[in-house]
Amino acid sequence: MPRYFKPLIALLLAILVSNADAAFVTLQLSGVKDDLRDAVLSGIEINQYVGREISEAQAQRLYERATDQVRSTLEPYGYYNPKVSGELRGKGGDFVAVINVDPGEPVTVSESSVAVDGDANDQREVKRAVSGFTPAKGQVFDHAIYERSKATVSA
């Protein structure tokens, strides 16, 4: 046998052994639709590993982080008390991360008071920005809308 065959055979065996331990993760997400679903999918790290090789330790670590990541992702949309459940299933060496989300009711604004101190309070543009401040009483508290309103008043 030519001497370059031994290293080639060793390399092929190493590839075969490493592929035997390779596993993949898929994600089953339920309970949220449309924009909330898209937000949750972009906010959970395990979704970035779908279709990629992953170890059991990685799958477990990513799954354990998912609950807090779902909660953090939903807060800017006004959902501060979601219920998140699920499990990480091993299936023939591959993993299925099952995540069930009940976002609950969004937080709504019960009172709203916006005030500007000093001379700016008398400016027409500031008065218009303050009167159009959202989210207003009765609306869902959305962080992005709130921050835009603050920026408008500040500008």
Side-chain angles (χ1 to χ4, degrees):
M1 173 182 324
R3 48 182 223 215
Y4 62 85
F5 275 149
K6 284 184 181 182
L8 183 58
I9 290 172
L11 177 62
L12 289 173
L13 285 173
I15 291 171
L16 289 174
V17 168
S18 69
N19 283 341
D21 292 338
F24 294 89
V25 66
T26 57
L27 180 60
Q28 292 179 359
L29 177 63
S30 65
V32 284
K33 296 179 182 178
D34 304 324
D35 290 343
L36 281 183
R37 180 180 175 79
D38 293 342
V40 169
L41 286 172
S42 67
I44 54 176
E45 191 178 5
I46 197 167
N47 189 47
Q48 298 171 14
Y49 287 81
V50 170
R52 293 172 45 188
E53 287 186 21
I54 192 169
S55 71
E56 183 173 353
Q58 285 176 305
Q60 188 65 42
R61 185 181 72 248
L62 292 167
Y63 177 76
E64 288 171 1
R65 291 180 184 168
T67 298
D68 288 338
Q69 291 170 345
V70 168
R71 286 189 176 106
S72 295
T73 300
L74 291 175
E75 283 182 3
Y77 297 92
Y79 296 91
Y80 287 89
N81 197 24
K83 294 180 179 117
V84 184
S85 63
E87 64 182 322
L88 181 65
R89 298 178 188 152
K91 184 179 92 177
D94 291 335
F95 301 96
V96 178
V98 178
I99 301 174
N100 306 306
V101 181
D102 176 0
E105 292 298 317
V107 170
T108 56
V109 177
S110 60
E111 293 292 326
S112 179
S113 176
V114 181
V116 178
D117 293 332
D119 294 336
N121 193 39
D122 295 330
Q123 295 179 5
R124 183 172 18 121
E125 294 84 9
V126 174
K127 287 181 180 180
R128 187 178 313 129
V130 168
S131 68
F133 197 94
T134 54
K137 184 176 179 177
Q139 294 180 325
V140 172
F141 186 79
D142 183 310
H143 281 270
I145 293 170
Y146 171 76
E147 290 299 329
R148 274 195 301 269
S149 288
K150 277 184 15 182
T152 301
V153 171
S154 294

